[in-house]
Amino acid sequence: MIKENSHRLPVAIYKGYVTVAFTACMKNRNPLFVDSKVAMRFSEILMAEAMAHGCEVLVYLFMPDHLHVILKGNCDDAEPLKVMNRFKQKTGFWLSQNRGHVRWQKDYYDHLIRREQDIAKHVRYILNNPVRKNIITNWSDYPFKGSNIFDINHRQF
């Protein structure tokens, strides 16, 4: 058996006061997040995991077949990587119980945002994703988005 090489940075890099952008996709690009009940349940799980592991959710956005989220550690013990792993584990279990044929892809993409001034650029990119995909014409009209620190429905990015 061939062991797969890890593409992640050392786990210690993802702890404390760090900001990480994640993208997680559904297996076979299954359009799960067209159902508002699923998006609502998954956002609840994401927020609970962020709170449990010392993170703020700067922004999340569920596209039909994937999730974008930016997590920011707000204490020395914050663990954005653990938030994402626990989120995928808990939502994966929910999927197995409620949507047996739908699964997450094995892994996810992550990107450390090293400069504070780059955060707004990343948030704008995420919020404009449904506009670029011609789902809506104005990002503020997209329903499957949120934050636990910003009122993104009334904020300019």
Side-chain angles (χ1 to χ4, degrees):
M1 185 165 90
I2 297 173
K3 185 174 188 230
E4 185 177 319
N5 288 331
S6 175
H7 66 279
R8 301 233 181 283
L9 297 169
V11 173
I13 299 288
Y14 296 94
K15 290 186 179 178
Y17 296 93
V18 296
T19 304
V20 187
F22 294 96
T23 302
C25 300
M26 300 311 300
K27 189 171 185 177
N28 300 322
R29 294 299 221 170
N30 196 314
L32 176 67
F33 303 115
V34 293
D35 182 336
S36 62
K37 291 177 185 173
V38 173
M40 176 79 71
R41 180 66 187 125
F42 280 35
S43 68
E44 291 167 357
I45 293 169
L46 178 64
M47 294 298 184
E49 287 304 315
M51 185 179 297
H53 299 288
C55 293
E56 298 170 333
V57 179
L58 301 185
V59 67
Y60 72 83
L61 187 132
F62 290 101
M63 289 294 287
D65 60 0
H66 65 279
L67 162 69
H68 292 284
V69 61
I70 299 177
L71 300 173
K72 183 176 184 178
N74 61 12
C75 63
D76 289 332
D77 298 334
E79 297 187 81
L81 192 64
K82 186 176 267 188
V83 171
M84 194 63 184
N85 288 334
R86 297 280 296 158
F87 167 78
K88 280 191 66 184
Q89 179 185 38
K90 288 186 174 186
T91 56
F93 179 76
W94 186 93
L95 288 169
S96 72
Q97 300 297 302
N98 296 280
R99 302 279 199 292
H101 65 287
V102 180
R103 300 211 182 323
W104 287 108
Q105 280 184 1
K106 179 180 176 213
D107 215 346
Y108 47 80
Y109 303 96
D110 63 76
H111 172 77
L112 291 176
I113 303 173
R114 298 182 192 273
R115 297 178 350 159
E116 191 75 21
Q117 61 265 36
D118 290 342
I119 292 173
K121 177 179 77 170
H122 286 275
V123 170
R124 277 192 302 275
Y125 176 83
I126 288 171
L127 291 174
N128 279 303
N129 204 17
V131 175
R132 283 189 304 279
K133 298 294 184 183
N134 295 316
I135 296 172
I136 52 161
T137 56
N138 186 326
W139 70 265
S140 61
D141 296 333
Y142 196 70
F144 307 129
K145 65 185 180 310
S147 170
N148 68 356
I149 63 164
F150 298 126
D151 180 3
I152 62 172
N153 291 316
H154 298 99
R155 181 179 167 119
Q156 293 292 339
F157 284 99

